Amino acid sequence: MGLMDSQVLIALALSLLGGLSTSIGALFVVLNEAPNLKMLGLLQGFAAGLMLSISFFDLAHNAINSIGFLKGNLWFFGGVIFFAIISSFIPEPKLAPISDVKSEKNNGDVGGKDTMKKHRRQVLFSGITTAIGISLHNFPEGMAVFLGSMKDLRVGLNLALAIALHNIPEGVAVALPVYFATQSKWQAFKLATLSGLAEPLGVIIVAYLFPGSVSPEILEGLLGSVGGVMAFLTLHEMLPLAFDYAGQKQAVKAVFFGMAFMSASLYFLEISLPAEMSF
C-alpha cells in the first residue's frame, strides 16, 4: 500500500468519526424526545471554540508562516468567500422548538387529523431539507479532513474532533422533525446518519481528484483556505445556535473553553506524536 493510499484510509477513518457523530445527535432524539437544548448550546459553543482555534492558531498561522503574510491571507479569505457563496445556496439547518412539537401533538386531537397530517408533511419536509443542507455542509468538511491529514495526522485528528462535536447538534436538527413527522425512531436515526455520510464521501471524491504530487505551497494555501471555511462556518452557523440555546454569556465561556482546550491539545499532540506519524 502506497503512502497516498494509507493517507486516504486515515482521512476516511477520521471523516467517518466526524460524519457518524450525526448519529449521536439522532440518539439524543430517539432516546429522549426533548433533548436538553442548553447542553446542546454549550456543546456547540465548545465546538465553535475548537474550530476557531484550529482556523486561526493552526491552519491560517501555518499558511502565513510557510507562504508569507499576503499569500496566506489571500488563501484564507478565498476560503471564506468560497464557503459564503456555497452557504447562500444551502437552506439553513434549524432545530424545531420542542414546545412547538409538543403543542402540535396536543392540538392534533382537537384540530382534526387533516391539519395534523398537513403539519406533519411540512415538518417532514423541513427535516429532509435540513438533511440535504447538512449533507452539503459535511461534504467540504470531509475534504478539509483529507487535506489536513495529507499534511499532518495531528491537523486531520484535530479537525475530525471539532467536526464530530459540531455534527452532534446537526444530527438532532435532522432527527427531531423527522421523528415528529413519521413517529418512527428508525427513520429519524437513518436520515440523520445518512446526512453525516456525506463527509467520508467528500474524502473519497477529493482523494481521487487530488494530484498525488501537489507542491507544498499549494497544499499550505489550501489548508489556509480550509481555515477560512472553518472560521466562516463557526461564526455564521455555530455561534448563533450556541447563543440561542445556551444564552450569550454561557456560550461565550464555552467558546473560550473550547479554544483553550484545542490550544492545549495542539501543544500536547505536537510534543507527543512521533515524527513518522506526521505526513
Side-chain angles (χ1 to χ4, degrees), residues 4 80 136 176 233 267 279:
M4 181 70 177
V80 170
L136 291 169
L176 194 63
L233 177 73
Y267 173 72
F279 299 131

Side-chain angles (χ1 to χ4, degrees), residues 10-118:
I10 288 168
L12 205 53
L14 290 173
S15 66
L16 267 172
L17 162 81
L20 290 176
S21 57
T22 53
S23 307
I24 299 169
L27 283 175
F28 264 112
V29 173
V30 298
L31 299 177
N32 167 27
E33 272 182 67
N36 180 338
L37 289 185
K38 176 144 198 218
M39 194 65 227
L40 276 174
L42 290 173
L43 187 67
Q44 194 77 329
F46 180 75
L50 299 185
M51 298 268 269
L52 288 173
S53 190
I54 292 170
S55 298
F56 295 119
F57 301 153
D58 195 14
L59 300 175
H61 171 78
N62 286 343
I64 286 168
N65 278 350
S66 304
I67 59 178
F69 186 82
L70 178 64
K71 281 185 186 170
N73 271 280
L74 286 173
W75 278 99
F76 178 85
F77 286 105
V80 170
I81 293 162
F82 166 73
F83 204 68
I85 292 166
I86 286 181
S87 288
S88 65
F89 293 108
I90 297 173
E92 288 295 303
K94 284 202 168 45
L95 243 178
I98 306 297
S99 53
D100 289 3
V101 172
K102 283 189 170 169
S103 67
E104 287 297 340
K105 278 189 176 172
N106 297 335
N107 295 342
D109 305 330
V110 185
K113 287 184 179 173
D114 288 344
T115 315
M116 191 61 177
K117 246 186 193 170
K118 187 181 174 198

Side-chain angles (χ1 to χ4, degrees), residues 156-229:
L157 201 61
N158 285 326
L159 277 171
L161 170 68
I163 288 166
L165 282 171
H166 164 54
N167 282 355
I168 293 173
E170 290 190 345
V172 173
V174 174
L176 194 63
V178 174
Y179 179 45
F180 166 65
T182 63
Q183 301 293 293
S184 162
K185 293 184 175 187
W186 168 240
Q187 290 294 341
F189 184 78
K190 187 171 71 175
L191 199 58
T193 303
L194 285 174
S195 68
L197 288 178
E199 202 157 306
L201 188 67
V203 169
I204 293 164
I205 288 172
V206 80
Y208 291 101
L209 291 178
F210 204 68
S213 54
V214 67
S215 80
E217 182 170 325
I218 297 284
L219 183 60
E220 285 295 350
L222 284 169
L223 283 167
S225 290
V226 167
V229 167

